[in-house]
């Protein structure tokens, strides 16, 4: 979904005078690297590869105090690493130990083994990887439970893990929360058609109209094309993707120019994972969770309907639960407004997981 936009934005940047563009990038990356330094006596800053599911996968562990609660992020895309947002979310590491993991097929994990070295690219395989990563983190940091944070497509994994393994997780937090209902709700699709008609986008409208009426019958490529049009037809989402997502990737001190290309390739490779989730039904899977449950959703999200997320949340039974809209945000709300997201973590989540 993001791949075409990232590729187009990168091409536009590189089309400018190279010395100026690359010089500005080098300066900004240097400043971001300084921002991300952790020198607290009880802090941690580890990045490297761990054998997960039979292949080497990249994991980062960062925080200023190992006594803080641990958050394991599950990135979206699929295939879109959240490690690029390190400088934007630096303040989170004062209050939590943040674990970021490039799933098989994503960025540094893809770079390590190449496309042929990623093994089985299915939802079930990555779900199993996530359990291994969870236990690796618990062992490495010496904690019984960790907070599970699902971003976008990662929240599809998050719901299942939180439901199945409350003994491993102290709370579940979903943002850009994906809710699967076996295709019953077509609000996102209908809203896309309305935007395309209003904008007079006849070619795009024809492409969407040619899709099978039952979205469960769409191919992974068709699903990615639809998601791309949903995002690019909404000015707020498109602006966020260019400035927040592409900007973070371009200026990340952890990622090289070569890895900019890997980011795009990872999302394209990972499209196939969605083939196995079209028929998922989160209501049928169960709305009872034996851990604190939170959803923090962009109030104007056109990709992951806040209305659908709210309907699911209202049906959730949990010891503690909370829902909050992140104002003036579409998708990627946690990264467009990282300080607001941190405020929500501190006021809603941390009181239930600290200590």
């Amino acid at each position: 979904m993001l791949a075409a936009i990232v590729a187009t934005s990168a091409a536009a940047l590189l089309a400018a005078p190279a010395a100026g563009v690359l010089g500005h990038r080098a300066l900004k990356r240097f400043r971001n690297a300084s921002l991300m330094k952790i020198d607290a006596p009880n802090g941690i800053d580890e990045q490297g590869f761990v054998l997960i599911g039979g292949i080497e996968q990249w994991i980062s562990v960062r925080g200023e105090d190992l006594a803080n609660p641990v958050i394991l992020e599950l990135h979206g895309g699929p295939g879109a690493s959240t490690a690029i947002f390190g400088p934007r979310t630096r303040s989170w590491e004062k209050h939590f130990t943040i674990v970021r993991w490039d799933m098989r097929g994503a960025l540094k994990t893809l770079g390590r083994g190449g496309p042929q070295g990623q093994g089985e690219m299915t939802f079930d395989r990555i779900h199993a990887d996530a359990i291994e990563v969870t236990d690796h983190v618990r062992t490495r940091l010496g904690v019984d439970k960790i907070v599970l944070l699902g971003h976008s497509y990662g929240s599809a994994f998050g719901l299942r893990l939180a439901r199945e393994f409350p003994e491993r997780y102290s709370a579940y937090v979903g943002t850009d929360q994906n809710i699967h209902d076996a295709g019953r709700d077509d609000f996102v699709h209908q809203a896309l058609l309305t935007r395309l008609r209003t904008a007079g986008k006849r070619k795009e409208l024809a492409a969407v109209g040619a899709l099978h009426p039952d979205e469960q019958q769409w191919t992974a490529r068709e699903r990615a094309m639809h998601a791309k049009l949903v995002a690019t037809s909404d000015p707020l989402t498109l602006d966020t993707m260019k400035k927040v997502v592409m900007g973070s990737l371009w200026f990340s001190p952890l990622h090289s120019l070569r890895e900019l290309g890997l980011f795009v390739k990872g999302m394209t490779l990972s499209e196939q994972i969605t083939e196995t989730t079209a028929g998922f039904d989160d209501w049928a899977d169960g709305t009872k969770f034996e851990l604190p449950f939170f959803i923090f959703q962009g109030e104007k999200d056109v990709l992951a309907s806040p209305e659908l997320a709210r309907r699911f949340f209202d049906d959730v039974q949990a010891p503690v639960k909370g829902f909050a809209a992140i104002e003036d945000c579409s998708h990627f709300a946690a990264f467009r407004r990282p300080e607001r997201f941190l405020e929500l973590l501190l006021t809603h989540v941390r009181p239930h997981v600290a200590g």
Side-chain angles (χ1 to χ4, degrees):
M1 182 267 287
L2 294 172
I5 296 170
V6 171
T8 301
S9 301
L13 282 168
L14 293 174
V21 170
L22 296 178
H24 176 62
R25 177 175 183 267
L27 178 61
K28 191 68 179 286
R29 290 179 76 223
F30 175 79
R31 290 175 177 170
N32 282 340
S34 297
L35 172 67
M36 290 183 67
K37 286 181 180 177
I38 293 178
D39 51 17
N42 199 37
I44 185 170
D45 182 6
E46 293 183 357
Q47 292 91 39
F49 292 91
V50 178
L51 191 64
I52 300 291
I55 68 170
E56 289 188 303
Q57 303 195 37
W58 186 83
I59 296 175
S60 165
V61 184
R62 289 176 47 87
E64 292 193 4
D65 189 345
L66 285 166
N68 283 332
V70 179
I71 292 179
L72 169 61
E73 285 192 357
L74 303 178
H75 66 67
S81 170
T82 54
I84 64 173
F85 299 112
R88 296 187 69 86
T89 60
R90 178 66 180 86
S91 61
W92 298 5
E93 296 165 353
K94 296 179 182 179
H95 308 278
F96 300 91
T97 297
I98 305 296
V99 180
R100 285 176 164 146
W101 159 45
D102 284 1
M103 299 176 183
R104 63 176 67 223
L107 202 46
K108 288 184 182 290
T109 298
L110 174 60
R112 185 71 159 190
Q116 303 306 316
Q118 300 306 297
E120 183 185 355
M121 292 290 293
T122 65
F123 187 94
D124 288 346
R125 178 61 264 176
I126 295 177
H127 178 276
D129 288 349
I131 299 170
E132 278 195 56
V133 171
T134 296
D135 289 340
H136 165 76
V137 171
R138 292 167 66 215
T139 299
R140 169 66 188 89
L141 297 179
V143 295
D144 290 332
K145 295 185 178 184
I146 59 180
V147 178
L148 188 62
L149 171 55
H151 293 276
S152 193
Y153 196 82
S155 67
F157 294 102
L159 282 186
R160 282 149 186 80
L161 292 164
R163 188 187 292 113
E164 295 164 5
F165 304 108
E167 74 280 3
R168 286 175 163 94
Y169 305 110
S170 55
Y172 172 71
V173 181
T175 186
D176 305 334
Q177 178 69 52
N178 278 208
I179 299 297
H180 290 85
D181 67 348
R184 293 188 298 273
D185 188 303
D186 68 345
F187 176 82
V188 169
H189 180 70
Q190 293 301 325
L192 169 62
L193 293 175
T194 298
R195 290 197 300 277
L196 292 177
R197 290 192 193 101
T198 302
K201 300 286 188 179
R202 288 180 292 180
K203 180 180 177 181
E204 292 83 352
L205 196 59
V208 175
L211 294 172
H212 195 285
D214 179 2
E215 68 173 69
Q216 294 185 62
Q217 304 301 316
W218 297 352
T219 65
R221 188 87 285 274
E222 289 172 333
R223 199 173 304 280
M225 178 272 289
H226 186 271
K228 175 190 170 186
L229 290 176
V230 170
T232 56
S233 64
D234 176 62
L236 178 57
T237 307
L238 183 58
D239 180 74
T240 302
M241 292 170 74
K242 288 182 176 179
K243 293 179 180 177
V244 177
V245 181
M246 182 58 201
S248 296
L249 176 61
W250 184 249
F251 295 119
S252 170
L254 296 178
H255 299 93
S256 66
L257 284 174
R258 171 181 173 271
E259 287 175 321
L260 190 149
L262 283 174
F263 192 83
V264 177
K265 291 178 181 177
M267 286 182 292
T268 302
L269 177 67
S270 299
E271 286 173 2
Q272 59 190 289
I273 298 167
T274 66
E275 292 274 14
T276 57
T277 61
F280 279 12
D281 187 334
D282 290 317
W283 274 273
D285 288 342
T287 55
K288 185 175 181 179
F289 292 81
E290 298 176 10
L291 76 177
F293 184 96
F294 304 94
I295 294 178
F296 305 141
Q297 200 85 343
E299 66 172 356
K300 299 177 181 179
D301 197 332
V302 296
L303 280 159
S305 165
E307 293 82 5
L308 189 60
R310 180 76 209 207
R311 289 210 304 271
F312 182 79
F313 171 84
D314 287 343
D315 288 339
V316 164
Q317 301 173 56
V320 176
K321 67 177 189 174
F323 186 99
I326 303 178
E327 304 81 0
D328 301 318
C329 287
S330 180
H331 217 60
F332 311 104
F335 305 119
R336 187 172 181 102
R337 296 195 61 195
E339 296 306 317
R340 171 59 175 150
F341 192 77
L342 175 59
E343 178 187 358
L344 292 170
L345 289 174
L346 291 176
T347 56
H348 292 269
V349 182
R350 201 177 195 281
H352 299 287
V353 301

